Amino acid sequence: MNMTMMKNYLHFTAGDNLLFQTWHPDSSGAIAGACIGLVLVALFERWLSATRTGLQSYWHQRALALSANGTLAEKCCEDDDAVSAQSVSKSAPSQKKRTVPPFIVAHDVLRGSIYAIQALLGYILMLAVMTFQAAYVISIILGLGIGEILFGRMSYRSN
């Protein structure tokens, strides 16, 4: 058994396992390839974050439109102690404004799936940093920075 001790300081030496025991970059070219892969993972994470924010804005507008049209299966929330519609005066509104968007399966399942993938990518990047291989850390920081430059402007919501 080849037992190598993990270095607990930043280093540029080869030989660390990256995510899996079989992914063991031990040459300069292998480390360069791993760094390119980590840059791509970081770029994808930033793109996914921007895409998720854009989709949330779209879903919010769509939910408002569906609520306004009355096409949602569930109506806006009503008071538990509300009286029947006949006894409500015409000047008082019969429905309150919704404070929580409605649950729409097509929106919320996709939103949760995108978040889960984004969390997975974050953990992959974290595990790569935990190898203390300085080239990996630099690659991840560069990838996240370039990704924010490219996709960051798309992640701002306007409500």
Side-chain angles (χ1 to χ4, degrees):
M1 269 192 140
N2 183 8
M3 295 289 289
T4 59
M5 294 299 293
M6 184 178 137
K7 295 171 183 69
N8 59 354
Y9 53 88
L10 286 175
H11 59 90
F12 283 102
T13 58
D16 293 324
N17 292 337
L18 184 61
L19 301 179
F20 304 104
Q21 189 172 5
T22 55
W23 192 4
H24 189 79
D26 54 0
S27 69
S28 308
I31 290 175
C35 289
I36 291 169
L38 290 171
V39 167
L40 293 176
V41 170
L43 284 169
F44 182 63
E45 193 280 330
R46 291 288 73 211
W47 174 81
L48 198 60
S49 175
T51 302
R52 188 175 129 228
T53 302
L55 285 172
Q56 285 177 333
S57 179
Y58 169 75
W59 292 327
H60 177 73
Q61 294 299 323
R62 182 142 168 81
L64 289 177
L66 290 173
S67 293
N69 293 339
T71 56
L72 285 176
E74 85 184 66
K75 294 290 183 183
C76 290
C77 56
E78 297 178 358
D79 286 331
D80 290 338
D81 59 345
V83 294
S84 67
Q86 291 98 14
S87 64
V88 175
S89 69
K90 292 183 181 184
S91 63
S94 63
Q95 294 180 343
K96 284 185 174 181
K97 183 176 178 178
R98 179 181 287 276
T99 58
V100 176
F103 181 83
I104 301 173
V105 174
H107 299 174
D108 292 322
V109 170
L110 185 57
R111 182 177 48 81
S113 299
I114 291 172
Y115 182 78
I117 293 169
Q118 195 175 352
L120 174 68
L121 293 174
Y123 282 118
I124 287 171
L125 295 173
M126 177 198 64
L127 288 171
V129 168
M130 289 175 60
T131 64
F132 289 101
Q133 184 10 301
Y136 299 163
V137 174
I138 293 168
S139 298
I140 290 169
I141 291 170
L142 285 175
L144 291 173
I146 292 168
E148 187 63 25
I149 290 168
L150 294 175
F151 308 116
R153 67 186 179 283
M154 293 184 249
S155 66
Y156 292 107
R157 269 174 61 170
S158 60
N159 286 332

